[in-house]
Amino acid sequence: MADPNAVTNQAPPLDGVNFFTRDAPLGDALRPYADLAADPELSRIGALAGSAEALSHALPANQYPPVLRTHDRYGHRIDEVDFHPSWHWLMERAVGFGLQAAPWTSTRPNPHLTRAAGFYVWSQVEPGHGCPISMTYAAVPALQASPALAAEWVPQLAATEYDVRRLPGAAKRGVLAGMGMTEKQGGSDVRANLTTATPTGGDEYLLDGHKWFCSAPQVDLFLVLAQAPDGLTCFVVPRVLADGNRNTFALQRLKDKLGNRSNASSEVEFHATVGHRLGPEGAGIRTIIEMVAATRLDCVVGSAALQRRALVEATWHTRHRSAFGGLLADKPAMQNVLADLAIESEAATALAMRLAAAVDASVGGDQQETAFRRIALPLAKFWVTKRTSFLVAEALECLGGNGFVEESGMPLLYRESPLNSIWEGSGNVNALDVLRALRKPESLDAWLVEMGTVSGADRRLDAAVTDVLQGLADLGEAGARRLAARMALCLQASLLLRHSTPAVADAFVGSRLGGDWGGVFGTLPRTTPFQEIVDRTIG
């Protein structure tokens, strides 16, 4: 009689795999811009990310969601959020690695590229805690609109100590940032905001109104949009005032949302809430757009990380699971699926790291790279984030029923996969932003320069670039998404042709641009070197 308690033919835990050193596509994506293969900090992040200890914190952080406490036992309004210890474990390490804002004060070469690689690797552990990390990173460039506020907040934002104490910013070892832009009646149309800001003297205002989505309500300061006398303006709203008193920051509820359960998103009301003007009155969108641009970068990096983690789970499972007389990974149909997922993931990673390198160059004053970032960021945000849901769903299916249970981690990846396509501008918003960028000749020139680096290398890519240029004659909104998708694919193809293996580049260009593809994963031509491509997944 078979022992019903015996466990056989199950994949072992994904433990002891360094998520950085064993990611060959990431290494290829970084190499053109910096020699980071032996970077000790990235290796340390990768080792911890692939450890049983780190993975043991991802599930409980989501099994035990944050809890809102509006009042203390005596009836005082406190508006606090309690988190599971695993959340704090994850946050402490992310901040300790400097993934939140350290690049803005770093003196090392390529700080934003290095940080993007670390964020990509560490986000594969658990995606929810990446929100306050990303918001903090993105707050710094917006704060530069006020040298005084930047001097006050940036050193602590860039500090690598996780300090949860509810104190004035100046009294803390490190602080984190959040953002409140959207309101019930407007959503992405922030010009419809109704929150008012009344000046009281100097740069101080009193805010009254609400925010429909306030990210990371437990942090120390927020960038908030409100209507000042001269128009929509950006404000820095601290949770605790300089005198130690709590600012009025009434948390109405935490959102019951699709995606991760570990992070807190909230609705908040302002009642004579103190805010400090950031930038001129009426320039709110222009001021906060720097924060939006940085968070869009993290949307791309985070989505590439989701793709990568889903791919690794699928590859790991099929290499250890037998069915129909052999390992799943050795079956031709499964090899086609895995190879197709692999080239999609690699293209996303290559584009994400290219954007991060452009940030480094832009900070250094490179106008060509600044123009490239302006056009490539909405392209990548539109395409990479939108492709993630399809990839994660197919990767989940590789695990079959095992992937449909929460303990596998795959349901979390699946629920999270649409988030970045919505956050910081949905698909339509980003596609239209591409059209706006194209109205500036330098943006199109930057894209063409990038395409010119591989001109003549592949006739299928050359034909796709010609197709894009012909489509520019009619830049109507109805065609914006098709144009954005095509331009993004061309960018990905150019990067793989230059920096990946011929097998990966040919499979990607042939399927995504050459028409030799069935439209769903696992429909690459039979002549594709599947095993060679799949072997790069966990080198």
Side-chain angles (χ1 to χ4, degrees):
M1 179 182 294
D3 181 359
N5 295 310
V7 178
T8 61
N9 196 27
Q10 290 282 352
L14 181 58
D15 177 21
V17 176
N18 189 306
F19 281 11
F20 175 69
T21 60
R22 294 183 66 179
D23 188 340
L26 175 60
D28 287 348
L30 293 170
R31 191 173 299 110
Y33 320 110
D35 182 11
L36 297 173
D39 187 274
E41 184 71 357
L42 290 176
S43 296
R44 187 164 71 93
I45 295 173
L48 184 58
S51 69
E53 181 184 15
L55 301 179
S56 72
H57 286 287
L59 195 59
N62 284 276
Q63 287 176 321
Y64 304 98
V67 176
L68 172 62
R69 292 190 299 121
T70 56
H71 297 77
D72 68 10
R73 58 180 291 193
Y74 304 106
H76 301 116
R77 187 98 197 196
I78 55 173
D79 296 295
E80 291 289 352
V81 183
D82 291 336
F83 291 85
H84 188 269
S86 286
W87 166 271
H88 294 297
W89 188 93
L90 293 162
M91 286 293 297
E92 184 176 16
R93 273 115 193 114
V95 172
F97 292 140
L99 302 180
Q100 81 297 1
W104 299 107
T105 59
S106 175
T107 58
R108 67 168 293 168
N110 311 107
H112 295 278
L113 178 66
T114 306
R115 181 260 175 191
F119 186 73
Y120 166 90
V121 170
W122 188 247
S123 294
Q124 294 175 49
V125 177
E126 194 283 322
H129 77 290
C131 175
I133 298 300
S134 180
M135 291 293 131
T136 303
Y137 171 72
V140 174
L143 284 168
Q144 304 306 322
S146 169
L149 288 172
E152 178 182 354
W153 288 105
V154 170
Q156 280 123 315
L157 288 167
T160 54
E161 290 194 62
Y162 178 56
D163 188 347
V164 298
R165 297 175 298 164
R166 188 61 71 209
L167 295 171
K172 298 189 65 172
R173 297 188 296 270
V175 300
L176 298 170
M179 179 170 60
M181 290 179 63
T182 62
E183 298 182 4
K184 291 189 283 283
Q185 72 285 346
S188 295
D189 184 9
V190 294
R191 289 182 175 85
N193 282 6
L194 298 176
T195 297
T196 61
T198 304
T200 60
D203 74 344
E204 186 175 289
Y205 291 65
L206 297 180
L207 277 57
D208 291 276
H210 81 281
K211 292 298 166 186
W212 186 230
F213 275 95
C214 177
S215 62
Q218 72 278 9
V219 300
D220 302 283
L221 75 150
F222 299 85
L223 268 59
V224 172
L225 292 178
Q227 298 287 356
D230 285 339
L232 193 66
T233 305
C234 189
F235 296 90
V236 173
V237 176
R239 280 298 303 271
V240 180
L241 302 174
D243 61 8
N245 290 315
R246 290 170 180 257
N247 205 358
T248 306
F249 200 86
L251 298 178
Q252 300 305 102
R253 62 170 176 165
L254 300 185
K255 295 287 193 179
D256 185 10
K257 62 187 188 310
L258 179 68
N260 70 80
R261 305 295 188 192
S262 63
N263 184 43
S265 297
S266 67
E267 295 173 32
V268 61
E269 287 187 0
F270 303 131
H271 304 283
T273 301
V274 174
H276 299 276
R277 178 171 48 78
L278 180 63
E281 280 195 13
I285 294 177
R286 189 170 72 245
T287 301
I288 208 169
I289 200 67
E290 289 298 324
M291 186 176 196
V292 172
T295 51
R296 282 184 177 180
L297 170 65
D298 275 6
C299 285
V300 178
V301 176
S303 288
L306 287 172
Q307 291 189 21
R308 169 69 185 176
R309 181 58 194 275
L311 170 65
V312 167
E313 291 288 349
T315 306
W316 184 264
H317 176 85
T318 57
R319 283 179 175 175
H320 295 89
R321 179 79 164 181
S322 294
F324 310 111
L327 288 175
L328 284 173
D330 293 336
K331 305 296 183 182
M334 182 60 75
Q335 288 184 334
N336 197 329
V337 171
L338 293 173
D340 215 348
L341 295 174
I343 63 173
E344 184 80 30
S345 171
E346 183 161 350
T349 300
L351 185 50
M353 295 306 125
R354 174 67 182 91
L355 283 170
V359 173
D360 278 318
S362 298
V363 171
D366 188 320
Q367 294 304 306
Q368 173 69 24
E369 287 293 280
T370 299
F372 174 78
R373 176 172 168 248
R374 176 67 184 89
I375 185 68
L377 188 55
L379 286 173
K381 169 66 167 63
F382 172 81
W383 185 246
V384 172
T385 62
K386 200 163 288 298
R387 293 294 297 166
T388 302
S389 295
F390 297 102
L391 185 146
V392 174
E394 193 68 54
L396 186 155
E397 191 172 326
C398 293
L399 278 70
N402 288 326
F404 220 70
V405 295
E406 288 292 337
E407 290 92 339
S408 72
M410 296 300 287
L412 170 60
L413 299 182
Y414 185 67
R415 290 194 304 271
E416 189 77 0
S417 62
L419 169 66
N420 288 326
S421 186
I422 299 169
W423 195 250
E424 300 306 356
S426 62
N428 283 348
V429 171
N430 278 271
L432 294 175
D433 200 18
V434 171
L435 297 190
R436 282 188 287 272
L438 287 172
R439 294 190 185 108
K440 297 183 177 181
E442 61 268 24
S443 295
L444 178 58
D445 289 346
W447 185 83
L448 288 172
V449 166
E450 196 79 4
M451 293 300 99
T453 60
V454 290
S455 179
D458 192 296
R459 58 176 178 75
R460 298 162 298 186
L461 176 56
D462 290 343
V465 172
T466 300
D467 179 61
V468 167
L469 295 176
Q470 290 174 345
L472 294 178
D474 179 14
L475 289 180
E477 288 189 11
R481 290 166 72 103
R482 184 185 188 282
L483 178 68
R486 199 70 168 165
M487 293 181 72
L489 281 169
C490 289
L491 272 180
Q492 289 181 318
S494 73
L495 290 166
L496 294 181
L497 282 166
R498 281 178 283 164
H499 309 310
S500 186
T501 66
V504 169
D506 182 69
F508 184 86
V509 177
S511 57
R512 273 52 171 184
L513 294 175
D516 198 358
W517 196 45
V520 296
F521 288 109
T523 56
L524 295 172
R526 287 179 296 172
T527 55
T528 303
F530 303 127
Q531 195 62 54
E532 179 183 343
I533 294 171
V534 175
D535 283 346
R536 287 170 55 79
T537 300
I538 309 177

